[in-house]
Amino acid sequence: MKKICFVIQRYGKEVNGGAETLCRDLAERMVGRYDVDVLTTKAVDYMTWKNEYTADVEQINGVNVLRFSVSRQRIIKVFNGINKIFMMGLLPRFLENRWIIEQGPCVPALIDYIKEHKDDYDAFVFVTYLYYPIVKGVPEVSDKSVVLPLAHDEPFLRMKVFDPVFLSPRAFLFETEEERDLVYNKYKNEHIPYKLGGAGVEVPDHVNGDDFKKKYGLDNYIIYAGRIDDGKNCKELFEFFLKYKKSHADDLKLVLIGKPVIEIPDSPDIVPLGFVSEQDKFNGMAGAKLLVLPSKFESLSIVVLESFSLGRPVLVNGECEVLKGHCDKCGGGLYYVDYEGFELGLDALLGDDALRDEMGAKGKAYVAERFNWGVICDNLSELVELVSSRKEV
């Protein structure tokens, strides 16, 4: 049986994050097809990269997980300082490597392992372009590498330090056509073969929106699910929603599910629930009028696909090509680029039950056809076989 290796900055049941969850799902579903290892760190918290796991090796659902100690924790003030210089367009090229080190997780022992054991694996699967293990790891095994960049149109793609991640791998597994087009247009690397991946969407067998409403004392609400921070454009969501409420005197609430990283406005119309169980999350989405996602930077968005799977429409930021693309391709939601569009979208969806049901049905069909694990795993396996064969394309 061929042996493959996933490389990811964090991995484990305690780890929350879209890229990390995707990596776990793929790794566990590759068991049986391949002998599967994961190379990762001992960190749980992406803000500090503090070593929290103690074991060097762990078995999780048939996957052999090798953990390496992070050599230096992230100093938030230092990273924010160098990142601010970059965002101002003033960071010299020679300091981009310093940015990667401060971004972290700085784990040279993991890179040493790749160098020493690259002949032990038939393929390396690197997940998400933005972090030290991928930036330093891909060049060491470029001819054996499949990269899932999880790229979206964000300022960090300006950095030359990421060029090897996009110019040297053997193959790509892209989440969406929009991600593929973004990468190919920017790097002119159309010669590197690809397949479409994404994530299969699974919802519990029994989902009941009324259970959520009774448990939390809610009725008429829209929902946001995910990390509550600036990177997800949540401040704008709060601003737009509170402005909307000033001109719409009804009982509509904005329910927030997820970890708050920024301050949430103190308003009776905004209901932060923090982390909830998976069952409560799905029940909450099923009971909502719609899911709202203000993020400008998404490479896929599992929560949008989950909302579609539950037959619920979405209202998303049209500045994100991926989110806009989901809506355009299936008709499962609306998008906005300013407050006026946000207001019009909410009015249209909240005021028409039949429209919400129609859009929800279209979204559900779209996910069932495009985002199922069988197709995604077959596509990844095809790339692993290509990489391990060393054949020219």
Side-chain angles (χ1 to χ4, degrees), residues 221-226 237 254-255 257 281 284-285 288-294 301-308 310 312-316 323 332-334 336 346 349 356:
Y221 66 94
I222 63 175
I223 196 166
Y224 169 87
L237 172 61
L254 169 62
V255 172
I257 290 176
K281 182 188 80 168
M285 292 168 70
K289 300 292 187 183
L290 57 98
L291 175 112
V292 59
L293 187 58
S301 183
I302 293 297
V303 293
V304 163
L305 301 181
E306 288 173 340
S307 185
F308 284 161
L310 294 167
R312 294 291 82 199
V314 300
L315 180 63
V316 301
L323 298 180
L334 301 176
Y336 63 92
L346 267 187
L349 289 169
R356 290 200 308 275

Side-chain angles (χ1 to χ4, degrees), residues 152-255:
H152 39 260
D153 191 8
E154 60 182 347
F156 305 118
L157 284 178
R158 299 200 306 261
M159 289 191 183
K160 300 296 289 183
V161 74
F162 295 118
D163 283 2
V165 176
F166 292 99
L167 296 175
S168 68
R170 188 71 177 83
F172 289 114
L173 186 70
F174 291 121
E175 301 292 275
T176 61
E177 294 88 346
E178 289 80 12
E179 183 191 13
R180 174 201 63 198
D181 294 344
L182 171 68
V183 170
Y184 279 174
N185 288 337
K186 177 170 180 54
Y187 291 96
K188 311 303 178 188
N189 55 354
E190 294 90 344
H191 62 283
I192 300 177
Y194 79 95
K195 284 288 187 177
L196 288 176
V201 179
E202 297 176 336
V203 300
D205 292 334
H206 303 287
V207 178
N208 191 321
D210 288 337
D211 287 350
F212 182 87
K213 292 178 180 179
K214 290 177 183 177
K215 181 173 182 177
Y216 294 102
L218 294 163
D219 182 26
N220 179 30
Y221 66 94
I222 63 175
I223 196 166
Y224 169 87
R227 195 170 66 250
I228 301 166
D229 70 4
D230 286 336
K232 295 293 185 180
N233 204 28
C234 288
K235 285 184 179 178
E236 183 181 86
L237 172 61
F238 301 152
E239 175 190 338
F240 283 7
F241 180 74
L242 292 175
K243 184 175 180 179
Y244 182 86
K245 287 293 297 184
K246 285 182 179 179
S247 58
H248 296 74
D250 57 23
D251 61 350
L252 181 69
K253 308 291 185 186
L254 169 62
V255 172

